[in-house]
Amino acid sequence: MDSVRSPDAAPVPVKIVIAGGFGVGKTTTVGAISEIPPLTTEAEMTSAGVGIDNAGHRVDKVTTTVAMDFGCVTIDRALKLYLFGTPGQTRFGFMWDDLAHGALGALVVVDSSRLDDCYPAVDYFEQSGLPFVVAVNAFDGVLANDLESVRWALAVADHVPVIAFDARDRLSVRDALLVVLDRALDRAVSNSRS
Amino acid sequence: MTVPPGQEPPGIRPYLRSPVAPVSPAPPAAWNRPAHRAPDNLRPYVLTAGRVQGDHPAVNLETQVTIRPGAPSDVRFMPTELQAILTTCVSPVSVAEISAQAHLHLGVTKILVGDLCAAGYLDIHQLEVDPVHSPDVILRVIHGLRAIS
Protein backbone atom coordinates (compact mmCIF):
# COMPACT_ATOMS: atom_id res chain seq x y z
CA MET A 1 0.00 0.00 0.00
CA ASP A 2 1.28 3.43 -0.82
CA SER A 3 1.79 5.56 2.19
CA VAL A 4 0.02 8.88 1.94
CA ARG A 5 2.48 11.72 2.16
CA SER A 6 1.44 14.47 4.48
CA PRO A 7 2.01 17.99 3.17
CA ASP A 8 4.76 18.40 5.73
CA ALA A 9 6.69 15.30 4.69
CA ALA A 10 10.30 16.15 3.88
CA PRO A 11 10.98 16.27 0.12
CA VAL A 12 13.91 14.53 -1.52
CA PRO A 13 16.50 17.27 -2.05
CA VAL A 14 18.60 17.39 -5.21
CA LYS A 15 21.18 20.04 -6.00
CA ILE A 16 23.04 21.67 -8.84
CA VAL A 17 26.18 23.70 -8.23
CA ILE A 18 26.44 27.13 -9.87
CA ALA A 19 30.16 27.86 -10.17
CA GLY A 20 32.38 30.48 -11.74
CA GLY A 21 34.61 33.41 -10.94
CA PHE A 22 33.79 36.54 -8.97
CA GLY A 23 31.08 38.75 -10.43
CA VAL A 24 30.17 36.54 -13.40
CA GLY A 25 26.50 36.36 -12.43
CA LYS A 26 26.18 33.28 -10.21
CA THR A 27 23.83 34.91 -7.72
CA THR A 28 21.87 36.48 -10.60
CA THR A 29 21.52 33.01 -12.10
CA VAL A 30 20.25 31.56 -8.82
CA GLY A 31 17.89 34.49 -8.27
CA ALA A 32 16.43 34.30 -11.77
CA ILE A 33 14.85 30.90 -11.20
CA SER A 34 14.70 30.44 -7.41
CA GLU A 35 11.26 30.64 -5.84
CA ILE A 36 12.76 32.41 -2.84
CA PRO A 37 15.13 35.39 -2.93
CA PRO A 38 18.65 33.94 -2.77
CA LEU A 39 19.73 33.23 0.78
CA THR A 40 23.27 33.70 2.00
CA THR A 41 25.12 31.44 4.37
CA GLU A 42 28.66 31.68 5.60
CA ALA A 43 30.93 28.73 5.09
CA GLU A 44 34.52 27.92 5.65
CA MET A 45 36.81 27.37 2.71
CA THR A 46 40.30 26.00 2.92
CA SER A 47 42.87 26.24 0.21
CA ALA A 48 46.56 25.71 -0.14
CA GLY A 49 47.92 29.23 0.01
CA VAL A 50 50.92 28.37 -2.11
CA GLY A 51 52.43 31.31 -3.90
CA ILE A 52 49.88 33.74 -2.54
CA ASP A 53 50.68 34.80 0.97
CA ASN A 54 54.02 33.19 1.63
CA ALA A 55 57.28 33.72 -0.19
CA GLY A 56 59.06 30.61 1.04
CA HIS A 57 58.66 26.94 0.24
CA ARG A 58 56.06 26.28 2.89
CA VAL A 59 52.60 25.35 1.75
CA ASP A 60 50.21 26.75 4.32
CA LYS A 61 46.56 25.99 4.62
CA VAL A 62 44.57 29.18 4.32
CA THR A 63 41.18 29.09 5.95
CA THR A 64 38.70 31.84 5.46
CA THR A 65 35.02 32.46 5.84
CA VAL A 66 33.17 33.16 2.63
CA ALA A 67 29.57 33.85 1.74
CA MET A 68 27.62 31.35 -0.32
CA ASP A 69 24.33 32.15 -2.04
CA PHE A 70 21.65 29.61 -2.76
CA GLY A 71 18.06 29.25 -3.82
CA CYS A 72 15.55 26.50 -4.52
CA VAL A 73 12.82 25.34 -6.88
CA THR A 74 10.04 23.04 -5.73
CA ILE A 75 9.72 20.41 -8.46
CA ASP A 76 6.77 18.58 -6.92
CA ARG A 77 5.55 17.81 -3.43
CA ALA A 78 8.24 15.24 -2.90
CA LEU A 79 11.17 16.74 -4.79
CA LYS A 80 13.04 19.99 -4.31
CA LEU A 81 15.91 21.35 -6.38
CA TYR A 82 18.56 23.43 -4.62
CA LEU A 83 20.95 25.71 -6.47
CA PHE A 84 24.17 26.50 -4.65
CA GLY A 85 26.47 29.25 -5.84
CA THR A 86 30.13 28.63 -5.10
CA PRO A 87 31.92 31.45 -3.36
CA GLY A 88 33.43 33.74 -5.96
CA GLN A 89 36.98 34.14 -4.79
CA THR A 90 39.11 31.90 -6.99
CA ARG A 91 41.81 31.92 -4.35
CA PHE A 92 39.50 30.00 -2.07
CA GLY A 93 37.88 28.00 -4.79
CA PHE A 94 39.08 24.63 -3.58
CA MET A 95 37.43 22.39 -1.03
CA TRP A 96 34.17 22.48 -2.88
CA ASP A 97 33.70 18.87 -1.89
CA ASP A 98 30.82 19.72 0.42
CA LEU A 99 29.09 21.46 -2.46
CA ALA A 100 29.85 18.88 -5.10
CA HIS A 101 29.09 15.81 -2.96
CA GLY A 102 25.74 14.46 -4.08
CA ALA A 103 25.22 17.14 -6.71
CA LEU A 104 23.53 16.17 -9.97
CA GLY A 105 25.88 18.43 -11.89
CA ALA A 106 27.31 21.91 -12.19
CA LEU A 107 26.77 24.98 -14.30
CA VAL A 108 30.02 26.91 -14.75
CA VAL A 109 29.06 30.53 -15.43
CA VAL A 110 31.62 32.33 -17.58
CA ASP A 111 32.16 35.97 -18.52
CA SER A 112 33.59 35.63 -22.02
CA SER A 113 35.78 38.70 -21.54
CA ARG A 114 37.35 37.21 -18.38
CA LEU A 115 37.71 33.56 -19.20
CA ASP A 116 40.54 32.82 -16.79
CA ASP A 117 38.20 33.38 -13.82
CA CYS A 118 36.49 30.08 -14.48
CA TYR A 119 39.60 27.88 -14.78
CA PRO A 120 39.51 26.72 -11.13
CA ALA A 121 35.89 25.60 -11.49
CA VAL A 122 36.49 23.78 -14.78
CA ASP A 123 39.59 22.09 -13.33
CA TYR A 124 37.71 21.01 -10.24
CA PHE A 125 34.75 19.47 -12.06
CA GLU A 126 36.95 17.77 -14.65
CA GLN A 127 38.92 16.12 -11.86
CA SER A 128 35.95 15.23 -9.69
CA GLY A 129 34.01 13.72 -12.59
CA LEU A 130 30.90 15.78 -11.87
CA PRO A 131 28.88 16.43 -15.05
CA PHE A 132 29.21 20.12 -15.90
CA VAL A 133 28.21 22.59 -18.58
CA VAL A 134 30.02 25.82 -19.47
CA ALA A 135 27.44 28.61 -19.72
CA VAL A 136 28.68 31.90 -21.13
CA ASN A 137 26.73 34.76 -19.61
CA ALA A 138 25.76 37.10 -22.43
CA PHE A 139 25.99 40.44 -20.65
CA ASP A 140 23.48 42.71 -22.42
CA GLY A 141 23.02 40.02 -25.02
CA VAL A 142 26.57 40.37 -26.28
CA LEU A 143 29.31 37.75 -26.20
CA ALA A 144 32.85 39.09 -26.23
CA ASN A 145 33.99 35.85 -27.84
CA ASP A 146 32.02 33.30 -29.81
CA LEU A 147 31.35 29.90 -28.25
CA GLU A 148 33.90 28.06 -30.36
CA SER A 149 36.62 30.45 -29.18
CA VAL A 150 35.53 29.91 -25.59
CA ARG A 151 35.65 26.15 -26.04
CA TRP A 152 39.09 26.39 -27.60
CA ALA A 153 40.38 28.68 -24.85
CA LEU A 154 39.06 26.50 -22.04
CA ALA A 155 40.15 23.29 -23.79
CA VAL A 156 37.21 21.37 -22.38
CA ALA A 157 36.45 17.91 -23.74
CA ASP A 158 34.11 17.59 -26.70
CA HIS A 159 31.34 16.05 -24.61
CA VAL A 160 31.18 19.14 -22.35
CA PRO A 161 28.47 21.47 -23.68
CA VAL A 162 29.42 25.14 -24.09
CA ILE A 163 26.29 27.29 -24.30
CA ALA A 164 25.32 30.95 -24.16
CA PHE A 165 22.67 32.15 -21.74
CA ASP A 166 21.34 35.24 -20.00
CA ALA A 167 21.66 34.98 -16.20
CA ARG A 168 18.85 37.49 -15.69
CA ASP A 169 16.31 35.57 -17.72
CA ARG A 170 14.36 32.84 -15.98
CA LEU A 171 13.73 30.73 -19.09
CA SER A 172 17.31 31.07 -20.25
CA VAL A 173 18.53 29.86 -16.84
CA ARG A 174 15.96 27.04 -16.94
CA ASP A 175 17.24 25.90 -20.34
CA ALA A 176 20.85 26.03 -19.14
CA LEU A 177 19.93 23.86 -16.12
CA LEU A 178 18.16 21.43 -18.45
CA VAL A 179 21.44 20.96 -20.34
CA VAL A 180 23.14 20.14 -17.02
CA LEU A 181 20.36 17.67 -16.21
CA ASP A 182 20.77 15.98 -19.59
CA ARG A 183 24.38 15.34 -18.72
CA ALA A 184 23.38 14.15 -15.24
CA LEU A 185 20.87 11.78 -16.81
CA ASP A 186 23.54 10.40 -19.13
CA ARG A 187 25.74 9.67 -16.13
CA ALA A 188 22.93 8.06 -14.13
CA VAL A 189 21.85 5.87 -17.06
CA SER A 190 25.37 4.72 -17.89
CA ASN A 191 26.03 4.01 -14.19
CA SER A 192 22.89 1.93 -13.86
CA ARG A 193 23.86 -0.13 -16.91
CA SER A 194 27.34 -0.87 -15.70
CA MET B 1 21.97 26.38 57.01
CA THR B 2 19.33 26.34 54.37
CA VAL B 3 18.78 29.58 52.55
CA PRO B 4 15.08 30.13 51.75
CA PRO B 5 14.29 30.36 48.04
CA GLY B 6 14.72 33.83 46.68
CA GLN B 7 17.19 34.82 49.41
CA GLU B 8 20.37 33.33 47.98
CA PRO B 9 23.27 35.73 48.09
CA PRO B 10 23.40 37.71 44.83
CA GLY B 11 26.25 37.28 42.44
CA ILE B 12 26.79 33.54 42.53
CA ARG B 13 23.36 32.19 41.85
CA PRO B 14 23.38 32.13 38.03
CA TYR B 15 26.31 29.78 37.86
CA LEU B 16 25.14 27.50 40.64
CA ARG B 17 21.72 26.91 39.27
CA SER B 18 21.40 23.42 37.89
CA PRO B 19 20.11 23.32 34.33
CA VAL B 20 16.63 22.06 33.59
CA ALA B 21 16.83 18.33 33.00
CA PRO B 22 16.76 17.68 29.26
CA VAL B 23 15.50 14.56 27.58
CA SER B 24 18.00 11.76 27.55
CA PRO B 25 20.63 11.35 26.31
CA ALA B 26 22.15 14.37 27.98
CA PRO B 27 22.99 17.23 25.65
CA PRO B 28 26.63 18.18 25.15
CA ALA B 29 28.31 20.29 27.79
CA ALA B 30 28.36 23.16 25.29
CA TRP B 31 24.65 23.72 25.94
CA ASN B 32 25.11 24.50 29.61
CA ARG B 33 26.53 27.94 29.09
CA PRO B 34 24.34 30.90 30.06
CA ALA B 35 21.59 31.29 27.51
CA HIS B 36 22.09 34.93 26.68
CA ARG B 37 22.46 36.42 23.24
CA ALA B 38 25.95 35.87 21.91
CA PRO B 39 27.88 38.97 20.96
CA ASP B 40 28.23 39.48 17.24
CA ASN B 41 31.97 38.98 17.27
CA LEU B 42 31.76 35.59 18.92
CA ARG B 43 34.02 33.09 17.22
CA PRO B 44 31.65 30.67 15.51
CA TYR B 45 32.99 27.42 16.91
CA VAL B 46 32.53 28.59 20.51
CA LEU B 47 28.95 27.37 20.03
CA THR B 48 30.17 23.85 19.35
CA ALA B 49 32.68 23.82 22.21
CA GLY B 50 35.43 23.90 19.62
CA ARG B 51 34.27 20.88 17.65
CA VAL B 52 34.68 21.32 13.90
CA GLN B 53 33.41 17.88 12.98
CA GLY B 54 29.88 16.73 13.72
CA ASP B 55 29.00 13.27 15.01
CA HIS B 56 26.30 12.80 12.40
CA PRO B 57 27.85 11.75 9.08
CA ALA B 58 24.80 12.29 6.87
CA VAL B 59 24.39 16.06 7.31
CA ASN B 60 24.93 17.80 3.98
CA LEU B 61 23.95 21.28 2.75
CA GLU B 62 20.67 20.16 1.23
CA THR B 63 19.79 17.53 3.85
CA GLN B 64 16.21 17.95 5.04
CA VAL B 65 15.55 18.43 8.74
CA THR B 66 12.30 18.48 10.73
CA ILE B 67 11.23 18.66 14.35
CA ARG B 68 10.92 15.13 15.70
CA PRO B 69 7.27 14.39 16.49
CA GLY B 70 6.76 14.30 20.23
CA ALA B 71 9.96 16.21 21.04
CA PRO B 72 9.67 18.30 24.20
CA SER B 73 8.34 21.74 23.38
CA ASP B 74 9.87 23.50 26.37
CA VAL B 75 13.31 24.46 25.10
CA ARG B 76 13.86 27.55 27.22
CA PHE B 77 16.90 26.03 28.88
CA MET B 78 18.68 25.94 25.52
CA PRO B 79 20.99 28.60 24.15
CA THR B 80 19.16 30.96 21.82
CA GLU B 81 21.06 29.61 18.81
CA LEU B 82 19.60 26.14 19.33
CA GLN B 83 16.15 27.59 19.90
CA ALA B 84 16.54 29.49 16.63
CA ILE B 85 17.37 26.24 14.81
CA LEU B 86 14.32 24.49 16.26
CA THR B 87 12.08 27.43 15.30
CA THR B 88 13.29 27.14 11.71
CA CYS B 89 12.57 23.41 11.47
CA VAL B 90 8.81 23.49 12.04
CA SER B 91 8.34 22.54 8.38
CA PRO B 92 10.94 20.58 6.38
CA VAL B 93 13.98 22.71 5.72
CA SER B 94 17.51 22.19 4.47
CA VAL B 95 20.61 22.61 6.60
CA ALA B 96 21.68 25.52 4.36
CA GLU B 97 18.36 27.30 4.98
CA ILE B 98 18.69 26.78 8.73
CA SER B 99 22.15 28.31 8.57
CA ALA B 100 20.91 31.34 6.64
CA GLN B 101 17.77 31.91 8.69
CA ALA B 102 19.35 31.34 12.10
CA HIS B 103 22.39 33.44 11.08
CA LEU B 104 24.76 30.67 11.98
CA HIS B 105 27.96 29.64 10.26
CA LEU B 106 27.28 26.64 8.00
CA GLY B 107 29.85 24.37 9.64
CA VAL B 108 28.50 25.25 13.07
CA THR B 109 24.93 24.62 11.90
CA LYS B 110 25.80 21.13 10.70
CA ILE B 111 27.28 20.21 14.08
CA LEU B 112 24.43 21.70 16.11
CA VAL B 113 21.80 20.02 13.91
CA GLY B 114 23.57 16.70 14.50
CA ASP B 115 23.56 17.38 18.27
CA LEU B 116 19.85 18.21 18.28
CA CYS B 117 19.15 15.01 16.36
CA ALA B 118 21.20 12.94 18.82
CA ALA B 119 19.35 14.57 21.73
CA GLY B 120 15.95 13.70 20.27
CA TYR B 121 14.73 17.08 19.05
CA LEU B 122 15.26 16.84 15.28
CA ASP B 123 14.92 14.25 12.55
CA ILE B 124 17.56 14.24 9.83
CA HIS B 125 16.04 12.72 6.72
CA GLN B 126 18.46 10.40 5.00
CA LEU B 127 17.86 9.48 1.40
CA GLU B 128 16.99 5.90 0.54
CA VAL B 129 18.19 6.33 -3.04
CA ASP B 130 21.07 8.55 -4.10
CA PRO B 131 19.43 10.92 -6.64
CA VAL B 132 22.72 11.12 -8.54
CA HIS B 133 22.27 7.50 -9.62
CA SER B 134 18.53 7.59 -10.18
CA PRO B 135 17.41 8.32 -13.76
CA ASP B 136 13.81 8.47 -12.48
CA VAL B 137 14.55 11.29 -10.06
CA ILE B 138 16.52 13.23 -12.68
CA LEU B 139 13.69 12.82 -15.21
CA ARG B 140 11.25 14.22 -12.66
CA VAL B 141 13.50 17.25 -12.17
CA ILE B 142 13.67 17.71 -15.95
CA HIS B 143 9.89 17.54 -16.30
CA GLY B 144 9.43 19.88 -13.35
CA LEU B 145 11.80 22.47 -14.79
CA ARG B 146 10.22 22.27 -18.24
CA ALA B 147 6.92 23.21 -16.62
CA ILE B 148 8.41 26.54 -15.54
CA SER B 149 7.35 29.35 -17.80
Side-chain angles (χ1 to χ4, degrees):
Chain A
M1 191 183 105
D2 284 345
S3 58
V4 178
R5 294 184 68 93
S6 74
D8 276 347
V12 171
V14 294
K15 66 177 170 182
I16 292 177
V17 177
I18 312 292
F22 183 77
V24 295
K26 297 186 299 289
T27 305
T28 308
T29 304
V30 172
I33 198 159
S34 173
E35 64 203 19
I36 55 168
L39 293 170
T40 302
T41 180
E42 293 197 323
E44 209 146 76
M45 289 277 158
T46 314
S47 69
V50 58
I52 297 171
D53 291 328
N54 49 328
H57 297 294
R58 290 185 311 136
V59 177
D60 287 338
K61 286 275 192 180
V62 178
T63 303
T64 189
T65 299
V66 291
M68 186 177 72
D69 295 325
F70 66 97
C72 60
V73 180
T74 299
I75 299 297
D76 56 43
R77 281 197 313 170
L79 194 57
K80 197 166 179 179
L81 171 65
Y82 286 90
L83 303 168
F84 288 101
T86 58
Q89 297 90 330
T90 53
R91 261 184 69 180
F92 305 112
F94 304 96
M95 292 301 286
W96 288 342
D97 298 1
D98 243 19
L99 276 169
H101 178 74
L104 296 181
L107 189 72
V108 179
V109 183
V110 174
D111 176 350
S112 63
S113 60
R114 292 184 292 136
L115 282 180
D116 52 346
D117 283 358
C118 74
Y119 290 157
V122 170
D123 284 346
Y124 179 85
F125 297 125
E126 277 180 345
Q127 283 169 24
S128 67
L130 192 72
F132 72 99
V133 171
V134 175
V136 184
N137 191 1
F139 286 92
D140 298 321
V142 180
L143 293 182
N145 291 287
D146 63 71
L147 294 180
E148 274 316 301
S149 309
V150 172
R151 175 182 288 283
W152 179 83
L154 294 182
V156 289
D158 287 342
H159 64 262
V160 175
V162 178
I163 61 173
F165 87 123
D166 184 340
R168 299 161 303 179
D169 183 77
R170 176 198 282 267
L171 293 184
S172 184
V173 171
R174 177 199 70 178
D175 291 343
L177 293 177
L178 285 169
V179 180
V180 176
L181 288 165
D182 273 343
R183 295 263 295 130
L185 186 60
D186 286 348
R187 176 174 70 161
V189 169
S190 62
N191 283 352
S192 62
R193 279 187 190 140
S194 60
Chain B
M1 187 184 102
T2 309
V3 181
Q7 292 183 22
E8 300 97 332
I12 55 169
R13 195 163 37 136
Y15 297 96
L16 289 178
R17 188 188 298 163
S18 60
V20 178
V23 292
S24 61
W31 290 11
N32 293 336
R33 65 186 187 79
H36 58 72
R37 184 90 200 127
D40 288 342
N41 59 355
L42 186 71
R43 290 187 179 272
Y45 286 91
V46 166
L47 296 174
T48 68
R51 289 167 302 150
V52 293
Q53 201 91 53
D55 297 330
H56 203 291
V59 183
N60 207 338
L61 298 175
E62 71 279 13
T63 303
Q64 299 288 303
V65 180
T66 49
I67 296 274
R68 182 169 299 173
S73 54
D74 186 1
V75 294
R76 283 172 296 180
F77 69 91
M78 284 188 192
T80 48
E81 292 82 6
L82 295 180
Q83 293 184 34
I85 290 177
L86 292 174
T87 308
T88 312
C89 299
V90 172
S91 53
V93 69
S94 66
V95 172
E97 285 165 289
I98 296 171
S99 163
Q101 289 173 13
H103 302 289
L104 287 170
H105 193 283
L106 187 59
V108 172
T109 307
K110 289 165 79 170
I111 294 168
L112 297 182
V113 164
D115 288 351
L116 285 166
C117 175
Y121 289 90
L122 291 178
D123 281 330
I124 293 171
H125 297 269
Q126 306 200 42
L127 299 179
E128 291 158 17
V129 181
D130 186 352
V132 170
H133 304 301
S134 167
D136 290 345
V137 170
I138 296 172
L139 279 170
R140 270 167 65 200
V141 180
I142 290 173
H143 291 146
L145 275 185
R146 282 201 183 125
I148 291 177
S149 55

